[in-house]
Amino acid sequence: QVQLVESGGGLVQAGGSLRLSCAASGRTFSSYAMGWFRQFPGKEREFVARISWIGGSTNYADSVKGRFTISRDIYKNTVYLQMNSLKPEDTAVYYCAPTSGSSPRADFGSWGQGTQVTVSS
């Protein structure tokens, strides 16, 4: 199973930017589409963005479209989420996972620790 480590979160003012990273160890991302998800307190994880590992096609949740950009570095086995124009409502724990469409793969259960993003006003 792939082991995922998210990083790059932190505290930022509204309108600011962060870049999240998700690095894989143990296995590569090459057979997956990868996605970012976020979890608000008391809620289930929700889809944020995905990228096809080989082709690089992307998809975004409406709430982040135009502000967030997902990308990947194949050789570093790393997926990124560039977050611009951050809003307080983006405050959440962000996770990455192999993705089928806008959902985590059904056979995926090894979530990383996530990375906390806090946006202040």
Side-chain angles (χ1 to χ4, degrees), residues 18-101:
L18 287 170
R19 190 176 78 155
L20 308 185
S21 297
C22 171
S25 61
R27 295 182 63 184
T28 70
F29 295 150
S30 61
S31 63
Y32 304 123
M34 292 296 298
W36 285 96
F37 301 81
R38 63 187 181 185
Q39 187 171 30
F40 305 111
K43 302 293 185 179
E44 299 295 323
R45 293 182 184 91
E46 69 174 33
F47 170 76
V48 175
R50 68 161 178 84
I51 186 166
S52 173
W53 198 248
I54 302 301
S57 61
T58 59
N59 191 46
Y60 299 91
D62 288 343
S63 59
V64 307
K65 194 171 185 178
R67 299 188 297 120
F68 291 9
T69 303
I70 188 170
S71 62
R72 87 287 197 219
D73 187 326
I74 293 172
Y75 302 104
K76 293 183 178 179
N77 293 319
T78 301
V79 62
Y80 304 96
L81 186 68
Q82 178 67 46
M83 305 186 295
N84 298 326
S85 302
L86 282 162
K87 305 175 180 179
E89 53 262 44
D90 295 318
T91 296
V93 180
Y94 285 72
Y95 300 87
C96 62
T99 305
S100 297

